[in-house]
Amino acid sequence: MTVATQLEIRAIPPSDLGLYAQVPIRFEVRSRLRVALVNGGLGGMRLVEELVDPPYVKDYDADGGGDVPDPLCWPQEFDVREWAFFLAVEAGRPVGAATVATNTPEVRLLDGRRDLALLWDLRVSPEARGRGIGTALFRHAASWSRARGCRQMKVETQNINVPACRFYAAQGCRLGALHRYAYAADPALAHETMLLWYLDLQCEGPGGPVTGAERR
């Protein structure tokens, strides 16, 4: 992996989410992690990777079914005063972006906790993937969350996004929960399983607090 050169990660206000939305978040689904129950679930669950045939394109921004990309809708749908929006810029062009949500009661994934940050969104332009931009954004989001006093950063993804699952595991996250029926109310998404990952931000090491990625 070649880390992007001259990469700048800058915080942006909600008014600049138009730039943020220029970074696509679509990817091709080639495999999925099927949930296999052991003894009906009493013996636990296993995630078994299997190919998807035929592959298809998943676009998170289009999941809502509207004509406006999701990032432009967030300030209207949520109180984003305690959110952070980050834009990764290379040679003056947006190549990646990330959003962290904190202390927002209407966001159920925050579980009512003030010490939990939620990595709401992480995206890298398709042509810029594999060059360390996602890792740089993830670490920036984790550092911001730690500075806010959060003890953990939580990430939601799905079993059809196997590259994302591998990425979060490589960053030191641990799978904390899965919900097989989280999207059952939406026929277009009902086949997906929610996976919730957690990164410990305040684990003490010999030199003080370290992230899971730094312990690897």
Side-chain angles (χ1 to χ4, degrees):
M1 177 182 68
T2 302
V3 178
T5 58
Q6 297 182 336
L7 180 71
E8 176 191 0
I9 297 180
R10 62 179 70 153
I12 62 171
S15 58
D16 283 348
L17 285 174
L19 284 173
Y20 188 115
Q22 290 179 16
V23 181
I25 195 171
R26 61 182 176 272
F27 65 98
E28 188 174 38
V29 179
R30 293 180 173 272
S31 65
R32 67 168 186 159
L33 298 173
R34 177 175 55 85
V35 180
L37 301 181
V38 179
N39 191 22
L42 291 177
M45 300 181 184
R46 296 174 57 240
L47 294 175
V48 180
E49 186 174 1
E50 60 184 19
L51 294 178
V52 170
D53 187 21
Y56 64 94
V57 173
K58 169 80 173 181
D59 188 343
Y60 285 109
D61 279 347
D63 276 354
D67 296 327
V68 179
D70 271 7
L72 300 180
C73 300
W74 297 337
Q76 284 72 50
E77 296 176 356
F78 303 97
D79 180 353
V80 299
R81 287 177 294 177
E82 297 195 49
W83 292 30
F85 305 100
F86 301 112
L87 193 67
V89 179
E90 190 177 36
R93 184 173 62 91
V95 292
T99 294
V100 184
T102 63
N103 194 29
T104 310
E106 64 265 35
V107 176
R108 288 179 294 175
L109 283 175
L110 284 169
D111 301 327
R113 292 173 52 183
R114 298 182 64 89
D115 66 344
L116 179 67
L118 176 67
L119 185 60
W120 180 266
D121 184 78
L122 177 66
R123 57 182 67 199
V124 177
S125 295
E127 68 277 7
R129 292 172 187 167
R131 296 197 284 116
I133 295 172
T135 295
L137 282 164
F138 182 91
R139 292 178 177 174
H140 198 86
S143 295
W144 182 88
S145 301
R146 187 184 304 107
R148 297 270 295 185
C150 295
R151 298 189 60 81
Q152 289 181 310
M153 186 168 72
K154 182 178 183 180
V155 191
E156 174 194 6
T157 190
Q158 293 75 38
N159 66 322
I160 50 86
N161 196 345
V162 178
C165 292
R166 290 177 175 151
F167 171 80
Y168 293 127
Q171 298 307 314
C173 296
R174 296 293 178 263
L175 185 60
L178 63 83
H179 190 340
R180 298 176 67 201
Y181 306 110
Y183 313 112
D186 187 339
L189 305 177
H191 64 286
E192 298 181 8
T193 293
M194 176 191 288
L195 302 177
L196 298 175
W197 299 83
Y198 291 82
L199 178 72
D200 291 329
L201 299 173
Q202 302 293 342
C203 292
E204 292 292 331
V210 297
T211 69
E214 292 166 337
R215 292 198 302 272
R216 292 179 65 85

